[in-house]
Amino acid sequence: MSKVLVTGHKNPDTDSISSAIAYAYLKKQLGVHAQAVRIGEVNKETAYALHYFQVDPPVFADEGVRQDVEEIILVDHNEAQQSIDDREKYNVVEVIDHHRIANFETMAPLYYRAEPVGCTATILLKLFKENNVDIPKDLAGLMMSAIISDSLLFKSPTCTDEDVQAAKELARIADTDLESYGLEMLKAGADMSDKTPDD
Amino acid sequence: MSKVLVTGHKNPDTDSISSAIAYAYLKKQLGVHAQAVRIGEVNKETAYALHYFQVDPPVFADEGVRQDVEEIILVDHNEAQQSIDDREKYNVVEVIDHHRIANFETMAPLYYRAEPVGCTATILLKLFKENNVDIPKDLAGLMMSAIISDSLLFKSPTCTDEDVQAAKELARIADTDLESYGLEMLKAGADMSDKTPDD
Ligand SMILES: [Mn+2]
Ligand SMILES: [Mn+2]
Ligand SMILES: [Mn+2]
Ligand SMILES: [Mn+2]
């Protein structure tokens, strides 16, 4: 079985990085040879979260990593222009996302899970539960960080009650104080120079 | 709250009709003013299933039914050319489907649930469970009919193990013999003149 890459969008934010890591973990628990990758630099906010929870960043999806890969899974985006270069070379077998759908087309049926919530990690929490897979403490911390990031600590208009409840549940698993950690993480990323226009 | 129409594709098959009825029922149980509609004639096979389980067909989506409607939910399709005329006038708030994604675009985030299985009704069974809503006996019969139809009684190459298990579970709820009912239903629809090229 050749490996499946799990990738977020270009100029990756904390949701794209954390959701790639968390979903690759879930797929591996389900027997899929999945590898989380990134298609851009880790920003300061995400670096803070990765360091805090002691998780390595995903590898950059260079030529070597892409070698012999035929299938990819998209998290936190679907539009072609935000996606991995040469996407048309791959078979997109799954998408987990919370954005509108545009510039997206497949040749074959796929698993596509979009929900109108504020963060991909909120959907991933449901997927872990639906598949009866426990979330490790460190990954729960990253998923919580993703929700804090996309929702600006629940202040964004895209934030739903489901995001708030998910973040609280993940904070309990991560054994982390949501508010104080969240403020520190947002502060670490507050140098806006490497923020992307869309979350 | 204005009503939300739930519609399958043009030249509706048993999956498009049954899934529209079943998903509108589920949404209503969840407090949404949903109405199942059809955008074409009921074929002979579907008529057999509706008569057997004593369920009325969805109303035709004529001008009157569409009056003041702003939101629609698509089942069993997503491509524009297979969909309700003037789709661009509506906000597509949800899609439940098992086909490839093409010619589909939204302005806003939505709930999109596609899975690579043989029938929309197989996905709907999961959605009833995820929402803890019981499936009435007659609707279970229709959903079972949809799986029999799309899978040609499990002989189609698109049929997955999940479809087979779902049909068996629905047959138990409907208290119907899957094989003998299935053969009769397929026979009732065997006049191929009103079958569509895609399931
Ligand atoms: Mn996001
Ligand atoms: Mn993002
Ligand atoms: Mn179908
Ligand atoms: Mn169909």
Side-chain angles (χ1 to χ4, degrees):
Chain A
M1 186 170 61
S2 64
K3 70 183 173 189
V4 183
L5 302 185
V6 183
T7 175
H9 53 72
K10 285 176 177 164
N11 294 316
D13 52 16
T14 301
D15 190 21
S16 266
I17 296 291
S18 300
S19 290
I21 294 170
Y23 198 51
Y25 174 85
L26 173 56
K27 295 303 288 186
K28 273 183 278 187
Q29 299 308 109
L30 299 173
V32 176
H33 182 186
Q35 179 179 24
V37 297
R38 61 184 168 85
I39 56 171
E41 293 306 310
V42 170
N43 70 30
K44 293 196 179 75
E45 178 196 278
T46 308
Y48 178 90
L50 290 167
H51 182 260
Y52 190 94
F53 292 105
Q54 302 184 0
V55 178
D56 290 330
V59 295
F60 185 78
D62 62 16
E63 292 270 315
V65 169
R66 289 161 173 245
Q67 184 88 35
D68 298 328
V69 168
E70 290 170 8
E71 298 185 329
I72 59 173
I73 292 172
L74 310 181
V75 294
D76 198 37
H77 75 293
N78 67 88
E79 301 195 40
Q81 69 277 16
Q82 301 167 358
S83 208
I84 191 167
D85 289 333
D86 306 321
R87 187 169 82 181
E88 64 282 0
K89 287 184 186 167
Y90 305 101
N91 187 9
V92 178
V93 291
E94 296 192 28
V95 178
I96 317 292
D97 191 22
H98 65 115
H99 298 92
R100 73 177 196 131
I101 299 176
N103 301 306
F104 183 82
E105 187 164 314
T106 62
M107 291 303 291
L110 75 164
Y111 185 89
Y112 197 111
R113 181 73 170 258
E115 302 199 16
V117 293
C119 184
T120 305
T122 300
I123 305 168
L124 290 186
L125 174 59
K126 292 167 88 162
L127 293 180
F128 272 93
K129 288 179 183 176
E130 287 171 19
N131 288 287
N132 295 308
V133 173
D134 288 333
I135 306 176
K137 205 170 163 177
D138 54 351
L139 299 193
L142 286 185
M143 290 163 69
M144 172 193 74
S145 301
I147 300 175
I148 293 166
S149 173
D150 271 5
S151 73
L152 298 172
L153 248 177
F154 315 134
K155 287 176 186 62
S156 159
T158 60
C159 182
T160 68
D161 187 55
E162 211 177 320
D163 297 299
V164 178
Q165 296 312 319
K168 286 181 180 169
E169 186 170 343
L170 291 162
R172 278 193 296 275
I173 300 170
D175 196 19
T176 303
D177 185 82
L178 190 52
E179 289 284 329
S180 62
Y181 168 81
L183 287 171
E184 287 305 314
M185 186 197 80
L186 291 175
K187 213 190 292 176
D191 174 2
M192 300 302 283
S193 57
D194 53 14
K195 275 265 181 180
T196 55
D198 71 318
D199 61 338
Chain B
M1 186 171 59
S2 65
K3 70 183 172 188
V4 183
L5 301 186
V6 182
T7 177
H9 52 71
K10 285 176 178 164
N11 294 317
D13 52 16
T14 301
D15 190 21
S16 265
I17 296 290
S18 300
S19 290
I21 293 171
Y23 197 52
Y25 173 85
L26 173 57
K27 295 302 289 186
K28 274 183 276 187
Q29 299 309 108
L30 298 173
V32 176
H33 182 186
Q35 180 178 24
V37 296
R38 60 185 167 85
I39 55 172
E41 294 306 311
V42 170
N43 70 29
K44 291 195 180 76
E45 179 196 278
T46 308
Y48 178 90
L50 290 167
H51 181 260
Y52 189 94
F53 293 106
Q54 301 185 0
V55 178
D56 290 330
V59 294
F60 185 79
D62 62 15
E63 293 270 315
V65 169
R66 291 160 170 244
Q67 185 88 36
D68 298 328
V69 168
E70 290 171 7
E71 297 184 329
I72 59 174
I73 292 172
L74 310 181
V75 294
D76 197 37
H77 76 293
N78 68 86
E79 301 196 40
Q81 69 276 17
Q82 301 167 356
S83 208
I84 191 166
D85 290 333
D86 306 322
R87 187 169 83 181
E88 64 282 0
K89 288 184 184 168
Y90 305 100
N91 187 8
V92 178
V93 290
E94 296 191 28
V95 178
I96 318 293
D97 192 20
H98 65 115
H99 297 94
R100 75 178 193 131
I101 299 176
N103 301 306
F104 182 81
E105 187 164 315
T106 62
M107 291 303 292
L110 75 163
Y111 184 90
Y112 198 110
R113 180 76 170 259
E115 303 198 16
V117 293
C119 184
T120 305
T122 301
I123 306 168
L124 290 186
L125 174 59
K126 292 167 88 163
L127 293 179
F128 272 93
K129 288 179 184 176
E130 287 171 19
N131 288 286
N132 294 309
V133 173
D134 288 332
I135 305 177
K137 204 170 163 176
D138 55 350
L139 298 194
L142 286 185
M143 291 164 69
M144 173 193 73
S145 302
I147 300 174
I148 293 166
S149 172
D150 271 6
S151 73
L152 297 172
L153 248 175
F154 314 134
K155 288 177 186 61
S156 158
T158 60
C159 182
T160 68
D161 187 55
E162 211 178 319
D163 297 298
V164 178
Q165 297 311 319
K168 285 181 180 169
E169 185 170 344
L170 291 163
R172 280 194 296 276
I173 300 171
D175 197 17
T176 303
D177 184 82
L178 190 52
E179 289 284 330
S180 62
Y181 168 81
L183 286 172
E184 286 305 313
M185 186 197 80
L186 291 175
K187 211 189 294 176
D191 173 0
M192 300 302 283
S193 58
D194 54 13
K195 275 265 180 179
T196 54
D198 73 316
D199 62 338

